[in-house]
Amino acid sequence: MFKIKRKSRQRRRFWVRKLYLDRQNHGLFESALRNLARDEEQFKKSLRMPLSLFNVLHELLENSLKKHSIRTPISSQCRLFITLLYLAHGGTRQFHTLVHRMGLTTFRRITLETSEVIWNSLSELYVTTPTETEWIRIANEFKLMWNMPNCIGAIDGKHINITCPSNSGSMFYNYKGNYSIVLMAICDANYTFTCVDIGAYGSQSDGGIFQFSKISEAIENNSLNIPKDCPLPGELEPFPHYINNRECLWNTYCKMEDPSNYSVHGSK
């Protein structure tokens, strides 16, 4: 008979590091928020939003961010502040644990949980599928502001660097030499997101990501409420609405086309 020895769990040397015990007085949130609240300009630079908007956002998310514990929990306002600061400026997690005076696991859990709460609470309000009327408005704005008739969006991808997942091979390895997932988004003429697709492998090209994205699938299934084809200025033949990229156009039939094939008025 062979006895299987279980690995004994390493006992903690201490429950909380001495450095973190004085977070209420010397943590970045506690020491900086009071000063930043007096300086609107610096607050906006720090969190990419004015204090008034931060307070509105906190009011919307407060109940979802509150925690209940035997020990004094980290406040919902602090959780939101930490997450927004991290999203705005990045930086290593180890650095943030030092300035906020909290453990690495605590910081990681706060940013993940708060990001999820923000998405679940606000995505249905701000990243909803546009209606046909809204697509027409977006097309008109592109025509007036950027001289691009029938354009309903500009699309591009952004690589978000990650630590390479175990046993993932080269799936997340991108052309820049980093490991990443890709945020692909469509925005309107005012740079506001209208559609997003998140989580594609960093090794994929923009065209490959779009082809297999939920956005492309929705276009093929006619579930994006895209308006019917209409003539370009000075033309009589109907022309499909399209999504603009730096190097090509994707029309609403999910076909990639070279923009040089068309003149300013859209004729070949």
Side-chain angles (χ1 to χ4, degrees):
M1 295 289 292
F2 292 94
K3 292 184 179 180
I4 300 175
K5 293 184 177 180
R6 293 184 179 179
K7 289 185 179 180
S8 58
R9 188 174 180 179
Q10 187 177 1
R11 295 184 62 185
R12 292 190 177 197
R13 289 176 293 168
F14 30 72
W15 186 251
V16 180
R17 288 182 181 273
K18 292 182 179 179
L19 176 65
Y20 306 151
L21 290 173
D22 205 19
R23 180 173 60 237
Q24 296 297 332
N25 296 320
H26 299 290
L28 181 63
F29 170 76
E30 288 74 12
S31 59
L33 187 63
R34 291 189 296 271
N35 296 323
L36 285 174
R38 303 190 195 103
D39 192 329
E40 184 72 22
E41 183 180 356
Q42 288 301 318
F43 189 96
K44 188 174 182 179
K45 287 181 179 180
S46 298
L47 297 189
R48 308 287 176 86
M49 65 176 64
L51 177 61
S52 57
L53 184 56
F54 175 83
N55 290 332
V56 171
L57 182 60
H58 175 255
E59 186 176 345
L60 288 172
L61 307 178
E62 184 177 6
N63 291 333
S64 300
L65 293 176
K66 275 184 177 180
K67 297 292 181 180
H68 303 281
S69 175
I70 297 174
R71 294 181 295 167
T72 304
I74 297 172
S75 68
S76 57
Q77 196 175 32
C78 179
R79 288 171 176 271
L80 183 60
F81 178 88
I82 289 170
T83 304
L84 293 177
L85 189 68
Y86 181 56
L87 294 176
H89 301 284
T92 64
R93 288 174 176 173
Q94 186 60 47
F95 169 77
H96 283 276
T97 62
L98 293 174
V99 297
H100 293 296
R101 301 210 174 195
M102 62 179 57
L104 182 61
T105 302
T106 303
F107 173 79
R108 180 177 179 275
R109 185 180 294 117
I110 285 175
T111 53
L112 289 175
E113 289 178 352
T114 306
S115 297
E116 187 174 358
V117 167
I118 292 173
W119 174 258
N120 291 338
S121 301
L122 303 182
S123 60
E124 292 186 1
L125 293 174
Y126 297 103
V127 197
T128 55
T129 303
T131 63
E132 184 175 349
T133 302
E134 289 172 333
W135 283 124
I136 294 173
R137 174 186 59 78
I138 292 170
N140 289 334
E141 289 177 348
F142 268 105
K143 178 182 177 181
L144 294 173
M145 299 171 64
W146 302 104
N147 193 27
M148 298 181 69
N150 283 31
C151 181
I152 57 171
I155 188 170
D156 204 358
K158 170 67 176 177
H159 286 270
I160 311 298
N161 290 342
I162 62 172
T163 301
C164 180
S166 301
N167 303 316
S168 62
S170 60
M171 291 189 299
F172 295 93
Y173 191 74
N174 62 43
Y175 69 97
K176 297 181 179 181
N178 302 316
Y179 295 94
S180 64
I181 58 173
V182 178
L183 160 65
M184 177 161 281
I186 299 175
C187 70
D188 62 18
N190 297 296
Y191 309 105
T192 301
F193 284 178
T194 53
C195 301
V196 295
D197 186 88
I198 306 168
Y201 297 132
S203 59
Q204 293 180 279
S205 65
D206 284 352
I209 294 170
F210 178 77
Q211 183 179 358
F212 297 102
S213 68
K214 294 292 184 182
I215 299 172
S216 177
E217 181 182 336
I219 293 174
E220 290 182 347
N221 296 335
N222 296 319
S223 59
L224 273 189
N225 309 314
I226 293 175
K228 295 180 180 180
D229 300 353
C230 63
L232 295 172
E235 301 292 332
L236 297 176
E237 185 179 350
F239 188 84
H241 291 82
Y242 62 89
I243 301 167
N244 180 50
N245 182 266
R246 292 171 296 179
E247 300 173 353
C248 63
L249 305 177
W250 277 301
N251 64 33
T252 49
Y253 304 113
C254 290
K255 295 179 181 178
M256 185 185 297
E257 301 187 21
D258 186 344
S260 63
N261 291 337
Y262 301 94
S263 68
V264 175
H265 295 293
S267 59
K268 288 191 176 182

